[in-house]
Amino acid sequence: MYRSPSPLPEQSRSAISATLNERLADGLDLHSQIKVAHWNIKGPQFAALHPLFETFAVSLATHNDSVAERSVTLGGKAYGTTRHVAKTSRIPDYPQETTRDLEHVRLLAERIEAYLTGVRESRKLAEQYQDTDTVDLLTGIITEFEKHAWFLRASLEG
């Protein structure tokens, strides 16, 4: 661990940095999957979903950057190469041959929900170590991506 402006003990910072790297891997994987859906979507809902998916991707890229920077701020490193992500992400693989609009919606909803499960686990760990700044960061991600998952699930109803 590197020196950090955080008052947290090194053991705490190390554990939090490790969980943030897990979320970074999941987030980078999810980002690439959202982009695959964005690029390949076809169907009657194209005009609404194409820009929505781009909004999700841009937002997630920003959150991924914040997660990586928080890990480094705590004195750790940020691991985000494609090979590292492929080895460590817990997000299910994306069937890249998918084209139908509502199939993309279903697949992305499932993957966002899997991502949220991991973010909640990391927040719980940050709470245990009393790292309120990381808890705040992760709560913001959860709030936003729960809303995105709701948008997608609502699109499948009816």
Side-chain angles (χ1 to χ4, degrees), residues 19-149:
T19 197
L20 289 172
N21 270 289
E22 292 170 353
R23 298 301 67 82
L24 180 59
D26 290 351
L28 290 169
D29 189 11
L30 179 59
H31 180 269
S32 69
Q33 293 186 27
I34 293 169
K35 290 302 289 189
V36 166
H38 170 77
W39 295 324
N40 292 299
I41 189 169
K42 304 274 188 275
Q45 301 300 318
F46 171 86
L49 294 173
H50 182 75
L52 183 65
F53 293 171
E54 182 64 13
T55 300
F56 292 174
V58 168
S59 171
L60 186 53
T62 299
H63 287 305
N64 287 339
D65 191 57
S66 295
V67 167
E69 289 175 351
R70 182 66 184 156
S71 177
V72 175
T73 299
L74 290 171
K77 293 185 178 180
Y79 300 105
T81 64
T82 302
R83 288 184 182 109
H84 177 79
V85 169
K87 286 189 297 188
T88 59
S89 174
R90 297 188 322 181
I91 306 299
D93 198 20
Y94 200 85
Q96 296 189 73
E97 297 302 317
T98 304
T99 58
R100 298 307 303 165
D101 48 8
L102 294 182
E103 184 62 12
H104 281 298
V105 168
R106 183 186 64 77
L107 291 167
L108 289 180
E110 291 169 355
R111 280 146 184 81
I112 288 172
E113 289 163 358
Y115 172 70
L116 285 167
T117 297
V119 177
R120 287 185 193 101
E121 290 169 5
S122 293
R123 182 176 64 179
K124 185 174 184 178
L125 183 85
E127 287 170 343
Q128 291 170 352
Y129 286 108
Q130 299 178 350
D131 181 358
T132 56
D133 298 320
T134 299
V135 169
D136 185 54
L137 170 68
L138 298 174
T139 298
I141 295 169
I142 291 166
T143 300
E144 184 172 348
F145 275 81
E146 280 181 345
K147 186 168 118 180
H148 294 335

Side-chain angles (χ1 to χ4, degrees), residues 4-10 13 133:
S4 169
S6 172
L8 294 171
E10 184 172 330
R13 292 185 292 113
D133 298 320

